[in-house]
Amino acid sequence: MKKSIILLLLFVFTLSSAFLPSQCKHSSGDRTYNVLDFGAAGDGDSDDTQAFKDAWEATCGSRAGSPATMHVPSGSTFFLQPIVFAGPCTSDVNIVINGTLIAPGPSQWKCKKNKCKQWITFDKLNNLHISGSGTINGEGKKWWGCKEGFVILHSNNVYIRDLAFMDSPQKHIGIDRSKWVYVTNLVITASENSPNTDGIHIQRSQHVFIDHTHIATGDDCISIGDGSAYLNISSITCGPGHGISVGSLGHNGAKETVEHVYVSDVELRGTSNGVRIKTWQGGRGHARDITFERITSYDSQRPIIIDQFYCNGHHNCKNHKSAVEVSNVRYNHIHGTSRGEIAVEFACSETVPCRDIYMNDINLVSGVSSCQNVRGTQHEVSPSVPCLT
Ligand SMILES: *[C@@H]1O[C@H](CO)[C@@H](O)[C@H](O)[C@H]1NC(C)=O
Ligand SMILES: *[C@@H]1O[C@H](CO)[C@@H](O)[C@H](O)[C@H]1NC(C)=O
């Protein structure tokens, strides 16, 4: 009796494994999911959104032991409506973009109640690698609207490398509520007069590393917003654009913080502002432990600036009692040329002065320094800053 049951079980088991799809026989080895195999046309005109969703579902749900790869092949252009690549996935995921992605224009933009602000969103992913020789074209030339290009949200261990980003209607890459994000070797371009087209915007994120990246847009090359900490930004060329900015912080009385930011080896080419910290009057919180070093300015306007009176140039600029506190900021080895009258500007608030501002080996020609309510030291600084000892 017992023997026959065992034999029966054995028989059923052998039978079932013989009929399993061949894919399941190997538990290791790369799985690659090419969007063309999911029905993408790649003609730059047909809507390929569904094919990308299907390819993503296969990739993200792949049970491969090693990372699964979604492949966007070169030689084709894929038209995508707003799309969310959501996790978590069953394995680590690579996305190789060797082709071109293009966004809808203003009249074509389709999403629920037209509410979505982002074109391509990556949400709740761990161990995501996005790379390739492709281009992500936001088609912003048609509208420069309030749509962000490429957003990393609620994710950890994300690598973005080698890609080209152009003409996002608004900021090109957003890193939001994420940790351990590595960005390297990107080229980000939009025209100099395009509004709000920041290259990379970081907020509520920690441990973000950006290096070897070229950014030329109409707004900040890199902007660092509330809740950012432990950032390392190095080997960046920036310009045209508004430079590398911490802030603006403390809008509408908000308490906002940025700390532990290290920026090094930056070439500023014809930027308006260079390395900047900007905070709103009436805000709270702090911007502290920030280092800018080995910065070269080629004809930038105001290469060094702290502005605690930021107010978009218009209303409500009056002096408030509270301010976002700026402290422990180091400027080291900053050289080059400056366009405009003021090369170094520290405009700090009376009630909450900027403190522990250290400057060493600064030489900017030509221009003057302007300062109020700053405390700190300077060593070999030209133009000399009268408020520092
Ligand atoms: C994508 O492009 C890169 C760089 O050109 C190349 O090394 C890689 O093999 C390509 N990937 C695929 C899957 O074709
Ligand atoms: C920042 O990154 C650069 C380039 O990867 C590296 O050489 C440097 O040691 C890092 N600095 C800090 C303070 O982490």
Side-chain angles (χ1 to χ4, degrees):
M1 183 67 178
K2 257 189 182 169
K3 227 179 195 174
S4 64
I5 288 176
I6 290 170
L7 273 174
L8 187 72
L9 280 175
L10 211 64
F11 176 72
V12 169
F13 180 76
T14 319
L15 201 70
S16 62
S17 59
F19 282 96
L20 281 174
S22 62
Q23 267 203 353
C24 300
K25 279 188 174 166
H26 317 276
S27 60
S28 64
D30 267 359
R31 294 271 180 279
T32 296
Y33 300 91
N34 186 328
V35 294
L36 292 176
D37 296 334
F38 289 82
D43 59 11
D45 191 33
S46 312
D47 185 348
D48 288 329
T49 317
Q50 192 57 48
F52 273 64
K53 284 183 177 164
D54 294 344
W56 174 253
E57 212 163 284
T59 311
C60 183
S62 169
R63 296 208 166 268
S66 53
T69 301
M70 180 168 125
H71 182 212
V72 179
S74 60
S76 300
T77 299
F78 301 89
F79 175 89
L80 291 184
Q81 286 290 348
I83 185 167
V84 179
F85 296 105
C89 299
T90 48
S91 68
D92 297 353
V93 166
N94 297 328
I95 300 179
V96 177
I97 304 172
N98 281 355
T100 299
L101 306 183
I102 59 166
S107 59
Q108 299 168 295
W109 192 276
K110 253 199 310 210
C111 66
K112 261 187 204 145
K113 299 186 190 138
N114 200 27
K115 271 195 171 155
C116 55
K117 251 179 79 192
Q118 289 113 11
W119 177 34
I120 300 178
T121 306
F122 300 88
D123 192 18
K124 301 188 194 75
L125 291 160
N126 288 318
N127 305 320
L128 169 69
H129 292 245
I130 308 171
S131 64
S133 50
T135 299
I136 288 106
N137 179 353
E139 289 281 75
K141 278 207 172 103
K142 294 181 179 161
W143 59 327
W144 306 122
C146 55
K147 308 294 186 191
E148 299 161 7
F150 207 78
V151 179
I152 308 292
L153 199 60
H154 305 119
S155 294
N156 297 322
N157 294 314
V158 178
Y159 297 77
I160 308 174
R161 57 189 308 145
D162 305 337
L163 293 160
F165 291 79
M166 63 183 282
D167 293 340
S168 178
Q170 212 205 38
K171 68 183 92 144
H172 285 77
I173 299 177
I175 299 170
D176 191 1
R177 285 166 276 187
S178 295
K179 286 190 174 72
W180 304 102
V181 179
Y182 303 83
V183 175
T184 188
N185 200 35
L186 304 186
V187 174
I188 304 174
T189 52
S191 74
E192 182 169 7
N193 55 16
S194 59
N196 301 316
T197 54
D198 293 17
I200 302 175
H201 177 71
I202 305 163
Q203 62 184 7
R204 288 167 280 185
S205 296
Q206 298 83 43
H207 306 288
V208 178
F209 303 80
I210 303 172
D211 64 46
H212 297 94
T213 285
H214 171 75
I215 305 170
T217 67
D219 207 298
D220 294 334
C221 288
I222 298 175
S223 54
I224 300 167
D226 178 38
S228 302
Y230 301 102
L231 313 184
N232 184 349
I233 295 166
S234 68
S235 302
I236 306 292
T237 57
C238 168
H242 296 180
I244 296 189
S245 287
V246 171
S248 54
L249 300 175
H251 191 201
N252 286 332
K255 179 180 180 198
E256 299 192 322
T257 64
V258 167
E259 59 197 351
H260 303 296
V261 176
Y262 178 72
V263 177
S264 71
D265 302 284
V266 176
E267 272 183 29
L268 300 163
R269 295 192 172 268
T271 54
S272 65
N273 306 307
V275 290
R276 171 165 65 160
I277 298 174
K278 55 180 177 179
T279 67
W280 295 78
Q281 279 283 307
R284 292 172 303 130
H286 59 253
R288 67 185 179 206
D289 305 330
I290 298 170
T291 298
F292 298 106
E293 70 181 353
R294 294 189 302 276
I295 313 286
T296 311
S297 166
Y298 300 91
D299 253 10
S300 297
Q301 224 163 1
R302 296 191 297 182
I304 297 177
I305 170 167
I306 297 177
D307 182 4
Q308 279 192 305
F309 296 90
Y310 188 69
C311 55
N312 257 346
H314 13 258
H315 359 280
N316 236 340
C317 288
K318 56 183 188 292
N319 216 334
H320 293 252
K321 281 232 161 63
S322 71
V324 177
E325 185 170 37
V326 177
S327 67
N328 194 20
V329 182
R330 286 162 198 275
Y331 300 91
N332 207 7
H333 309 302
I334 301 185
H335 297 165
T337 55
S338 144
R339 166 168 52 97
E341 198 194 333
I342 297 174
V344 179
E345 179 170 5
F346 293 130
C348 298
S349 93
E350 204 170 298
T351 46
V352 189
C354 302
R355 60 184 174 81
D356 300 326
I357 307 299
Y358 304 105
M359 302 185 87
N360 177 53
D361 183 22
I362 312 293
N363 188 7
L364 292 163
V365 289
S366 52
V368 298
S369 290
S370 142
C371 64
Q372 50 176 316
N373 308 314
V374 195
R375 295 172 197 157
T377 64
Q378 61 182 333
H379 180 244
E380 300 193 1
V381 172
S382 172
S384 178
V385 182
C387 308
L388 300 180
T389 52

